[in-house]
Amino acid sequence: GFRASLLCRLVKHRPSSSTMSSVSQSAQPVIQESTIHRLRACYGAGSSKEGESTAGKAAVPVHFQHSALAEYHREKREGCVGGTHWLFCGTPYRTVIGLLALLCFAVLFWTPIVWYLFVPRVVDMFAGATSVNVINVTLSEPGVNTLNVEGYIQINNHGMFAVEVDSFNATVRGPPEEDHPDGRPIGWMMVPRFSLAGNSPGLVHTSTVMHVSDGHAFNDMSRRMLNGEAVPWQLSSEMMVWALGLPFAVRLNKQVTFPPLELKNYVTENLRMSHGNVTTNQLIIDADLSFYSASPMRLLRFGELIAELYYNADDNDGSLQVSDRRARGGALTERSIKIGECVMADYRVVQGMNTLKARIVLDANAATGASLGRWASKIDQTFISVGPTNKHFMNGIWVGSNDMPGSAITMYTTTFATKETFVKGYHPQTGEACTFWDQSTEACDKGAIIMAMNPFQREWFLRDISYDIYLEEAYEYEGKFNVNVPPLDIDAVEFRCAPTRAIGRTFSKPGMWAAYPEHRPGLGLSYPPDDPSTAVDERLQARLADDVIPVPPASADGTPAVYSFTMPVHPIPGVAERVNLNGNAGPCVFGLENLDPFDCCMTTIFTAAACKAAERGEMHLVVTSTGNATMIVDGVSINISTSVRMPVSYTKDMLDFDALGGDDYGMVGVAGSAGFSCDDLTFAGISAP
């Protein structure tokens, strides 16, 4: 621009011969036409309308037409500001070329900045803001230090770009702790490759294997989950994310909260006795185990799982409220005693109600006996299960309560009291009826007939039974015991009894089968035959010496088997001294044991209670029988404790207690009597009418 201006000025001021002559010769204009054209060309002004005709134009010198300056001026156009903007002046073609040039420049300049600075920051920003929700998860096939993991997770807020995530090795950590601010490393897993669409939640299905490096840390986390706690697990890794076709390294440090796996309403029911193992001294029972899971987490293909069973005998008393029993009986404390193990052949947990077949292996100890006895007494109980014990790093993650309803039927169903068994009795060595003049405990067993049922479809045995029997209602009364042998009519003794519910203690002993001539010692068993060459009846003696009660099996359709036996009743120690208000705690009739070995209140309590029931029009009493018995299954013996509430039915002749009457004693028995009736009793105190 400067050079062109300078040239124009030089042309403008150069004098010409024609000009000098013109000035001198005539009065023409000072500036000639040719000069005006040059000036207009130099400063970009167009010619006037008058000078645009060919005739009015001055000729441009040849040397100027071919110069660079002339070429430069020819390419200038009207309206342009300067030569540097020539691409945006003139035709549309040149404008498009200019815009494309600018666009190419912008692409070449900004693309590296966007690709390598902006996009990675955006990807990393959205990776940090991403949230992960576990939709469902399945844990399966636990090994020594591995666990298969499969499920669906939802990834939210991952950004506007569609991304591909290469498979990566993720470290699994627990929640932050004081000693481990980043969480304790628990293990690691390979996360398979997955893709996510942009601007929408991503549902990802994954299947991998978790390798556990710290079994204790995994155990702690799992125990909290099984107790209903939503526990956050930390996933950390370096992963490669592909966005817009380019790879970006992203650091992952994400919290994932698995749904808690709280298993509720554990119930063990439908107990079925299998067998006894005399080698290990254990009783094996099959049962149905049910529980409920509301969690979307599933446990599959765990194989055989074993859990230990514990029992708090004192905290499962039948008198406790259900809430108290579950709270106390379901707590693992120093009072908890291990009673065995629960073996589940194919353990699995799915959402909803779960039912499993279980085999319960019970140790033959006192706690086991208490639990079996209460079950047979229709008493609900609560156990503690601790497990598993055979799954390596998962051992002990579960400590929970397990309810076991009582049996649908009681071990003992009812009792019958008749004159033959309760008043007269049987001789334990001969099987004959007792004589009136020899009523001692060595020569005469008096008691009641006990009816029982077996819910198990196999035979087992009872022995060493001892139960204390109490009435539900206490009775207070007085009366007299009469001996009437014509012509003698003697008021043998008068008695006064303080309020009492005690009937007596019943027990098994040799001679209990004296009144059962057809009794057999068990299925397929029999007593030895009688040897006619001897004076002794070997078959009878074997039956009288037997003190074992065979319990026949239930039928194939589950109908319980019914059986019966007779046991004698003796005084409960200490009751006579407390109840007999006249101070006579010894034999009732004349103080002679051969006539009556028991105190008067023990002798009369059942008839007194029956008389009171008869006033109400009832032919039964309700008693509670509490005590112990030895359960024998395939040679395995367990002492079981039961407390059974059951009715005691009585015959009308029990209302007239007569140890002498009847034709067993000839004319003396027919004409005489020794005992008392309801008319000889007067109810007082709490039992007064």
Side-chain angles (χ1 to χ4, degrees):
F2 175 76
R3 290 194 299 269
S5 176
L6 178 61
L7 287 174
C8 290
R9 291 177 185 275
L10 289 175
V11 172
K12 174 181 176 182
H13 295 288
R14 185 180 62 183
S16 64
S17 59
S18 59
T19 304
M20 296 298 294
S21 62
S22 298
V23 169
S24 62
Q25 294 176 6
S26 62
Q28 295 180 351
V30 178
I31 301 176
Q32 298 180 352
E33 185 70 25
S34 59
T35 302
I36 294 174
H37 278 288
R38 284 194 298 269
L39 290 172
R40 287 172 176 171
C42 287
Y43 292 100
S47 300
S48 63
K49 255 185 172 184
E50 294 81 6
E52 284 182 359
S53 64
T54 305
K57 283 188 178 179
V60 179
V62 176
H63 71 273
F64 185 78
Q65 293 177 6
H66 299 284
S67 67
L69 184 60
E71 184 67 24
Y72 171 77
H73 284 292
R74 280 198 298 270
E75 292 188 4
K76 293 184 66 176
R77 292 295 180 264
E78 184 177 355
C80 290
V81 177
T84 57
H85 302 283
W86 68 273
L87 287 174
F88 301 98
C89 300
T91 66
Y93 170 76
R94 288 181 175 175
T95 302
V96 170
I97 293 298
L99 290 174
L100 288 176
L102 273 181
L103 180 61
C104 290
F105 173 79
V107 169
L108 292 175
F109 180 80
W110 287 105
T111 295
I113 296 176
V114 171
W115 275 180
Y116 297 104
L117 292 178
F118 176 69
V119 173
R121 290 178 181 274
V122 171
V123 171
D124 196 56
M125 177 185 69
F126 280 107
T130 297
S131 64
V132 180
N133 296 328
V134 177
I135 305 302
N136 62 55
V137 64
T138 299
L139 308 180
S140 62
E141 301 178 14
V144 175
N145 60 355
T146 60
L147 181 65
N148 289 354
V149 181
E150 184 266 337
Y152 287 89
I153 59 174
Q154 186 180 50
I155 301 178
N156 304 302
N157 305 322
H158 62 273
M160 57 184 150
F161 303 116
V163 297
E164 294 280 342
V165 181
D166 286 347
S167 62
F168 60 92
N169 190 338
T171 300
V172 182
R173 299 175 180 272
E177 301 176 5
E178 183 176 350
D179 297 335
H180 302 274
D182 294 330
R184 282 191 293 174
I186 295 175
W188 60 273
M189 64 173 69
M190 286 297 300
V191 178
R193 180 183 178 91
F194 62 90
S195 61
L196 298 171
N199 291 322
S200 64
L203 187 63
V204 177
H205 174 260
T206 184
S207 180
T208 185
V209 178
M210 179 175 178
H211 299 262
V212 178
S213 58
D214 189 338
H216 294 293
F218 180 92
N219 203 291
D220 293 341
M221 297 281 286
S222 301
R223 186 180 296 113
R224 292 167 60 185
M225 290 175 59
L226 287 170
N227 287 330
E229 185 177 347
V231 182
W233 300 66
Q234 308 287 334
L235 292 181
S236 60
S237 179
E238 291 284 348
M239 61 183 185
M240 188 65 67
V241 178
W242 292 77
L244 302 176
L246 295 175
F248 303 97
V250 176
R251 178 169 180 78
L252 173 70
N253 190 6
K254 191 60 57 181
Q255 178 176 294
V256 179
T257 301
F258 283 88
L261 184 63
E262 186 175 12
L263 307 181
K264 299 180 178 180
N265 303 328
Y266 258 97
V267 176
T268 301
E269 55 190 351
N270 300 328
L271 272 61
R272 303 174 296 278
M273 186 184 297
S274 176
H275 63 279
N277 187 331
V278 70
T279 302
T280 60
N281 198 31
Q282 291 176 317
L283 178 64
I284 290 81
I285 293 178
D286 295 327
D288 294 335
L289 178 66
S290 63
F291 55 89
Y292 181 81
S293 172
S295 174
M297 179 180 289
R298 302 189 303 170
L299 307 181
L300 298 179
R301 300 186 299 280
F302 264 55
E304 183 179 84
L305 189 143
I306 302 174
E308 294 178 337
L309 297 178
Y310 290 83
Y311 184 70
N312 298 333
D314 294 339
D315 297 323
N316 274 278
D317 188 271
S319 62
L320 292 175
Q321 296 290 329
V322 174
S323 57
D324 293 339
R325 186 249 302 166
R326 287 176 174 167
R328 294 165 52 181
L332 187 65
T333 66
E334 66 278 359
R335 300 190 307 274
S336 305
I337 299 174
K338 182 184 175 184
I339 63 173
E341 295 178 334
C342 179
V343 181
M344 292 151 281
D346 183 21
Y347 188 78
R348 60 195 304 271
V349 177
V350 297
Q351 193 171 24
M353 185 60 68
N354 295 264
T355 301
L356 303 175
K357 298 295 182 183
R359 170 153 287 191
I360 300 174
V361 182
L362 295 175
D363 299 331
N365 57 32
T368 297
S371 66
L372 284 176
R374 285 171 176 165
W375 175 82
S377 304
K378 300 180 70 173
I379 296 175
D380 297 343
Q381 301 170 83
T382 300
F383 297 86
I384 306 106
S385 58
V386 179
T389 61
N390 62 329
K391 295 301 176 185
H392 310 289
F393 61 91
M394 300 184 74
N395 287 351
I397 63 174
W398 166 254
V399 178
S401 62
N402 189 328
D403 283 349
M404 185 173 74
S407 172
I409 60 173
T410 58
M411 185 173 177
Y412 307 117
T413 57
T414 189
T415 299
F416 292 104
T418 66
K419 185 175 183 178
E420 286 73 15
T421 61
F422 203 86
V423 179
K424 292 187 174 181
Y426 292 88
H427 198 294
Q429 281 82 40
T430 65
E432 302 292 334
C434 300
T435 60
F436 174 72
W437 50 86
D438 193 356
Q439 299 275 311
S440 64
T441 54
E442 293 79 11
C444 186
D445 285 340
K446 298 180 180 182
I449 302 171
I450 299 173
M451 304 295 296
M453 301 178 75
N454 180 19
F456 300 128
Q457 294 181 354
R458 63 148 299 157
E459 183 183 43
W460 48 287
F461 299 88
L462 282 170
R463 68 178 307 168
D464 304 329
I465 298 174
S466 178
Y467 293 111
D468 290 346
I469 303 175
Y470 288 89
L471 294 158
E472 282 201 332
E473 181 182 349
Y475 295 92
E476 181 180 358
Y477 59 93
E478 58 186 40
K480 57 183 179 179
F481 194 98
N482 302 310
V483 176
N484 183 13
V485 180
L488 301 176
D489 188 2
I490 306 171
D491 292 338
V493 62
E494 293 184 354
F495 50 86
R496 293 175 53 235
C497 300
T500 181
R501 297 188 303 111
I503 290 181
R505 175 171 295 172
T506 184
F507 55 96
S508 61
K509 63 182 289 289
M512 61 185 299
W513 300 111
Y516 298 83
E518 302 301 323
H519 174 68
R520 290 180 173 273
L523 288 176
L525 302 177
S526 62
Y527 295 117
D530 182 31
D531 186 356
S533 63
T534 65
V536 178
D537 188 339
E538 287 83 3
R539 185 179 182 84
L540 172 62
Q541 293 304 311
R543 174 164 58 89
L544 296 176
D546 191 0
D547 63 349
V548 177
I549 302 170
V551 181
S555 62
D557 63 0
T559 303
V562 179
Y563 60 103
S564 64
F565 52 94
T566 301
M567 293 192 301
V569 179
H570 286 190
I572 298 173
V575 173
E577 291 77 8
R578 177 177 59 82
V579 173
N580 286 273
L581 296 179
N582 58 2
N584 183 15
C588 182
V589 181
F590 303 130
L592 300 175
E593 184 178 351
N594 285 353
L595 294 180
D596 186 358
F598 309 133
D599 64 277
C600 290
C601 292
M602 160 69 184
T603 300
T604 60
I605 180 61
F606 188 86
T607 297
C611 292
K612 200 67 175 176
E615 291 180 2
R616 300 190 296 263
E618 299 173 353
M619 291 300 295
H620 72 276
L621 305 170
V622 178
V623 300
T624 298
S625 179
T626 303
N628 305 285
T630 300
M631 180 183 191
I632 305 172
V633 182
D634 297 331
V636 176
S637 298
I638 300 178
N639 186 272
I640 61 175
S641 302
T642 62
S643 181
V644 179
R645 181 177 180 271
M646 59 181 174
V648 179
S649 300
Y650 59 89
T651 55
K652 288 186 177 182
D653 52 13
M654 284 295 299
L655 301 177
D656 186 7
F657 188 102
D658 186 1
L660 184 60
D663 55 5
D664 294 335
Y665 305 110
M667 291 299 299
V668 174
V670 173
S673 64
F676 61 95
S677 67
C678 295
D679 294 335
D680 297 316
L681 300 175
T682 302
F683 291 96
I686 63 171
S687 302

